Amino acid sequence: MKIDIHSHILPKEWPDLKKRYGYGGWVQLDHHCKGQAKMMKDGKVFRVIQENCWDPEVRIKEMDLSGVTVQVLSTVPVMFSYWAKPQDTLDLAQILNNDLAATVKKYPKRFIGLGTLPLQAPDLAVKEMHRCVNELGFPGVQIGSHVNEWDLNAPELYDIYAAAEQLNCCLFVHPWDMQIDGRMSKYWFPWLIGMPAETTIAICSMIMGGIFEKFPKLKVCFAHGGGAFPYTVGRISHGFNMRPDLCAVDNKVDPRKYLGSFYTDSLVHDHGALRLLTSVIGEDKVILGTDYPFPLGELEPGKLIDSMEDFDSKLKDKLKAGNALEFLGLSRKQFE
């Protein structure tokens, strides 16, 4: 069994958001030719996508070819729209969540949904989280690595974490809104360097901000193998202990103590990195994630895990399915 915790999907169509809300900055799909569409933002091409980004039947064919049993679906992070008026972001989130729920309902043994929330308005976000879990049947939601000027330690987000604990709603943290100008404008740096940096900031913010102390039942998974965190945790811990006046201002617990208390996906593209990741984060805490259907993802889902000669079959099964089921609070029987 293979369960892919990290895959993105969009509706085939949605309303003209500039007309709907009265201002720009939104993404629209331009189906310019059969099987392809341009994601347009204020008249500029953000990304060209193929039909596997919106068509569940195409996805299932590709899943069957690559041996993926279940995809956990979440929106493309550019759709988070935390910058917009809260009521408009809520409206868009509901459009995306409703479409996602319809796909999961049609193919319940192949897809699991993670909703999206208007995090810039925590009161609205909590209400939509309740709807995602109680009405749409999602086991969790996807959130960005920061919310405008708030990192994930922001007190404004505490009500969201409290609701997630209460609802047993897991959180999948995905980097977004990276710096794209200046020194980061060349060589695809926002995706190659900016995304891992964003994820590392998100992890350190939650640890040093005491989020895992305040909300010990919170289930969190970070994308892209936890960014640079697994490799730099020694430096982070050492710095924390050397300069507690700077690092231990909100939480006195050494960051190392939280290893094993959160999850990451497996998307690291390197044998040595995956070996380190499972050693540092924990064999029970790493989950197969591919970033399907985008080019920075693992193009052959689970190939890296399967190719690890020093991982036994029990560990490989944990990484490919067991840890995902534990994180999502679901059982294997639901998908057999």
Side-chain angles (χ1 to χ4, degrees):
M1 179 178 280
K2 291 184 198 172
I3 300 175
D4 181 1
I5 196 71
H6 184 174
S7 69
H8 299 295
I9 194 168
L10 290 168
K12 184 176 182 180
E13 298 170 316
W14 58 86
D16 184 322
L17 302 178
K18 185 174 182 180
K19 284 184 181 176
R20 190 176 180 94
Y21 305 136
Y23 53 99
W26 307 96
V27 172
Q28 295 294 151
L29 275 193
D30 173 16
H31 289 273
H32 63 287
C33 68
K34 184 173 172 57
Q36 280 196 343
K38 296 174 183 174
M39 294 179 73
M40 305 294 295
K41 192 175 181 182
D42 292 332
K44 295 180 180 178
V45 178
F46 172 75
R47 178 182 290 161
V48 177
I49 58 174
Q50 281 69 46
E51 60 188 345
N52 58 4
C53 200
W54 68 78
D55 188 327
E57 282 82 13
V58 172
R59 296 176 85 95
I60 288 172
K61 286 178 186 174
E62 295 187 359
M63 290 162 66
D64 289 343
L65 286 173
S66 58
V68 173
T69 317
V70 182
Q71 281 185 346
V72 182
L73 306 175
S74 53
T75 195
V76 180
V78 72
M79 304 300 287
F80 287 155
S81 306
Y82 302 149
W83 52 269
K85 294 177 183 175
Q87 201 63 45
D88 298 336
T89 305
L90 173 63
D91 181 64
L92 176 58
Q94 291 178 338
I95 291 170
L96 297 170
N97 292 338
N98 291 346
D99 182 81
L100 182 53
T103 298
V104 173
K105 186 176 181 181
K106 192 173 181 182
Y107 303 102
K109 287 189 177 292
R110 305 309 303 270
F111 298 126
I112 297 165
L114 298 179
T116 188
L117 306 174
L119 289 182
Q120 74 272 42
D123 55 334
L124 298 179
V126 167
K127 288 177 184 174
E128 183 61 10
M129 182 187 286
H130 276 266
R131 193 179 79 93
C132 282
V133 174
N134 294 328
E135 295 181 30
L136 302 184
F138 297 161
V141 294
Q142 177 184 227
I143 68 171
S145 50
H146 67 275
V147 183
N148 303 324
E149 296 303 309
W150 300 339
D151 280 313
L152 296 187
N153 60 318
E156 290 87 349
L157 299 174
Y158 288 0
D159 286 350
I160 293 167
Y161 299 144
E165 274 197 328
Q166 177 199 341
L167 294 164
N168 196 27
C169 175
C170 57
L171 306 179
F172 182 68
V173 180
H174 197 293
W176 88 299
D177 193 29
M178 306 80 66
Q179 181 186 342
I180 58 173
D181 57 2
R183 294 168 61 221
M184 295 293 283
S185 62
K186 288 181 73 174
Y187 308 127
W188 215 18
F189 275 0
W191 273 258
L192 301 184
I193 298 170
M195 279 194 162
E198 272 292 320
T199 305
T200 309
I201 292 170
I203 294 173
C204 289
S205 294
M206 294 190 86
I207 287 175
M208 294 187 188
I211 300 304
F212 297 118
E213 289 293 310
K214 294 179 179 73
F215 306 98
K217 296 178 184 175
L218 202 60
K219 291 196 292 185
V220 186
C221 179
F222 297 92
H224 307 143
F229 181 83
Y231 185 73
T232 55
V233 65
R235 177 184 179 87
I236 290 163
S237 173
H238 179 71
F240 182 92
N241 289 304
M242 289 297 99
R243 292 301 306 267
D245 56 313
L246 298 176
C247 301
V249 292
D250 294 321
N251 182 16
K252 308 299 183 189
V253 181
D254 187 320
R256 274 190 187 276
K257 300 262 176 77
Y258 296 96
L259 297 175
S261 64
F262 57 85
Y263 297 78
T264 75
D265 74 14
S266 64
L267 189 55
V268 292
H269 301 289
D270 181 87
H271 290 89
L274 184 59
R275 195 172 290 112
L276 176 77
L277 181 65
T278 53
S279 173
V280 172
I281 298 299
E283 293 183 354
D284 295 327
K285 298 296 180 182
V286 178
I287 303 172
L288 172 65
T290 68
D291 213 351
Y292 176 100
F294 297 132
L296 256 180
E298 184 177 33
L299 304 181
E300 297 180 55
K303 183 180 180 181
L304 181 60
I305 293 170
D306 283 331
S307 69
M308 299 294 288
E309 294 179 0
D310 48 335
F311 287 10
D312 63 21
S313 59
K314 184 180 177 183
L315 174 54
K316 288 178 180 178
D317 181 67
K318 279 185 180 181
L319 300 178
K320 290 190 293 183
N323 294 344
L325 292 167
E326 186 70 27
F327 173 65
L328 296 164
L330 302 173
S331 73
R332 200 175 287 251
K333 287 181 181 177
Q334 292 174 246
F335 306 101
E336 288 177 340

